[in-house]
Amino acid sequence: MKNPIIEVHNLTVSYNKRPVLWDVDYELPPGQLIGVLGPNGSGKTTMLKTIMGLIRPDSGFVEVMGKKLDEVRDKVSYVPQRESVDWDFPANVMDVVLMGRYNPKHMFRRLSKEDRELAVAALEKVNMLPFAERQISQLSGGQQQRVFIARALARQADLYLMDEPFAGVDAASEESILELLTGMKAEGKSIMVVHHDLQTARNFFDWIILLNTSLVASGPVNEVFTEQNLQAAYGGKLTVLSQIADLVASKAFPLREKGLQDREKL
Amino acid sequence: MNEFYTILTGSLVAISCSLLGSFLILRKMAMVGDAISHAVLPGIVIAYLLGETREMIPMLIGAAAFGVLTTVLIELFHKKARLQTDASIGITFTFLFALGIILISAFAGQVDLDQDCVLYGDIAMVPLDLWITDAGLNLGPRQVWILGVNLLVVLAFILIGYKGLFITTFHEEYAATVGIAAGFWHYSLMSTVSLTTVVSFESVGAILVVAFLVVPPATAYLLTEKLPVMLGLSALFGVISAILGNMLATWLDGSIAGAMTAVAGGLFLLTFLFSPKQGILMRLKFR
Ligand SMILES: Nc1ncnc2c1ncn2[C@@H]1O[C@H](COP(=O)(O)OP(=O)(O)OP(=O)(O)O)[C@@H](O)[C@H]1O
Ligand SMILES: [Mg+2]
């Protein structure tokens, strides 16, 4: 692959000696919307944290834009899972979004007018500008999530890693944020999103990573969304499997024929 | 004049402690000051054994070093053994305190100190220890100068480091993804706390220090959801506690540190009952 935005090679990560990512290896094309799918506990959050340098892998390595993360940190923006912070913290929405503008090289300098303008623009994009002065403890879950997205946008990065940015976000907001992400893609940004809804994932992402401790598949959406792959990722979970079967059946995609052919061969 | 110095001493301690304590309670490490107050014992004994003096400076250095060690161990157990911070605080300070006691009993013949007299001062004594230059100039109590310098250090640290403290207190992990050295900010804060607690116990005793680290920030937390306001309010509550506490002590003819601590607790109770936002009475009224 030419100029991959993220390269992950032979990555193994464990907590207390128990591996939760096992020999994961892939390269991702730039300028795409990339979905990361997998059941709970399949290592999605761990993978994002490892890419962001928060967890040290047992083996393997990660390169972002062909470099070590530290060299390109300014160009990378991360949205953590919402539950990872204490929302009773005394801060307002603007304070949190402005954190996206913090730069380790200028920690002792005050934020500039431009920083504030970028934060305002980011809030506007997620329809949260009217809440700019609201204390974060007084937000609903979906609004908190949008504040986190705004903070990531304010960073003006080229690569975005988002951990379940749509958890608890209502359908209308989800759609407007998805549109926003599509617009960012058109500007050449790369966006990697951990997501749970297979339906939107299939309609929306260009590239899919299917994860279940080891890498099940990584590739263009039509190639990855096969029954076989989904079964390998989610296998054994009856309800999920039947949903996936419905999903595959309800879509007249070429891959369905491929799926049928596979089945006839059996 | 003595009364003025008592209030000034109390206020200097109150402002330093409540500013730092605000960050501690938001980091869920409120009791770190209490831990340090016990855990510095081995540092003092070792300084005494090495220097064979009861000079203040080596003892302060020994105490401050063990204060920092305490925070390092707490962080180590919390991060590496994945223990809750409160458990990690408990383990660390009981262990270090015990080490101090063992050292004292092992060297019983040589060590003539107990931490009550060496480490824990009494605020009532502060005005008596005057700093008089060789030329005979009276500069006021020595402790006031030490505590004043300490307050300047604390103020400078918080003003200059506000952004770093803010982002790492809100979310260390996010700060790290932006490239901010979360460990640097953690240990800078903890070292400042360690320095402040050590010089403060030495002047005013342990209870008052632990109280000022926790109570005024907790009171302010009930009243505001803005960090800068919380910092300002907690400093204000600290100073009010020092002033009213001194009055109370005079009136009762009792312990000054005890009275200041009691006033701080009383202010918390009043806020808990009457605060417009979270107060119990307000909640009952609108139910
Ligand atoms: N801090 C931790 N210590 C120990 N084990 C952990 C830790 N964090 C995660 N794990 C384990 O690692 C595995 C992967 O967790 P991870 O959070 O990466 O999953 P995930 O795919 O993001 O799941 P979800 O969809 O629920 O968010 C899980 O089995 C989890 O129990
Ligand atoms: Mg997760």
Side-chain angles (χ1 to χ4, degrees), chain A residues 15 18 20 39-46 81 164 196, chain B residues 82:
Chain A
Y15 294 110
R18 199 171 55 87
V20 298
N40 292 137
S42 56
K44 305 178 295 295
T45 297
T46 306
Q81 255 177 307
E164 300 195 29
H196 275 301
Chain B
R82 310 188 50 76

Side-chain angles (χ1 to χ4, degrees), chain A residues 16 49 52 54 73 78 80 84-86 88-91 95-96 99-100 102-104 106-111 135-138 148 151 155, chain B residues 26 28 80 82 160-167 169-174 176-181 184-185 221 224-228 230 277:
Chain A
N16 310 323
K49 284 187 177 173
M52 289 309 299
L54 294 172
R73 231 180 244 283
Y78 172 65
S84 55
V85 304
D86 171 11
D88 280 330
F89 192 86
D95 294 333
V96 174
M99 286 178 194
Y102 283 27
N103 179 335
H106 306 307
M107 280 316 276
F108 303 114
R109 194 182 295 171
R110 297 191 64 155
L111 292 163
Q135 295 308 310
I136 58 170
S137 57
Q138 297 166 13
F148 266 8
R151 176 173 71 174
R155 244 173 112 58
Chain B
L26 293 173
K28 315 207 167 15
K80 298 287 177 214
R82 310 188 50 76
I160 296 171
Y162 184 80
K163 276 166 69 190
L165 287 169
F166 181 66
I167 192 170
T169 304
F170 180 63
H171 195 187
E172 270 198 355
E173 213 166 56
Y174 179 78
T177 68
V178 183
I180 292 167
F184 168 80
W185 289 101
Y221 181 79
T224 178
E225 288 179 328
K226 294 190 174 70
L227 183 55
M230 179 172 162
K277 264 184 20 234

Side-chain angles (χ1 to χ4, degrees), chain A residues 152-224:
Chain A
L153 298 178
R155 244 173 112 58
Q156 304 273 296
D158 293 330
L159 168 65
Y160 295 81
L161 303 179
M162 305 187 167
D163 200 344
E164 300 195 29
F166 301 118
V169 172
D170 64 63
S173 305
E174 174 170 331
E175 203 166 312
S176 77
I177 293 167
L178 284 172
E179 252 167 49
L180 178 77
L181 297 185
T182 315
M184 287 162 57
K185 182 180 84 172
E187 293 168 14
K189 316 253 180 195
S190 311
I191 302 149
M192 186 174 186
V193 179
V194 174
H195 198 51
H196 275 301
D197 183 38
L198 295 170
Q199 186 84 48
T200 42
R202 138 162 249 161
N203 295 337
F204 187 71
F205 295 121
D206 307 310
W207 190 279
I208 297 285
I209 295 174
L210 265 180
L211 201 63
N212 195 346
T213 305
S214 17
L215 184 69
V216 175
S218 165
V221 62
N222 286 340
E223 288 172 26
V224 168

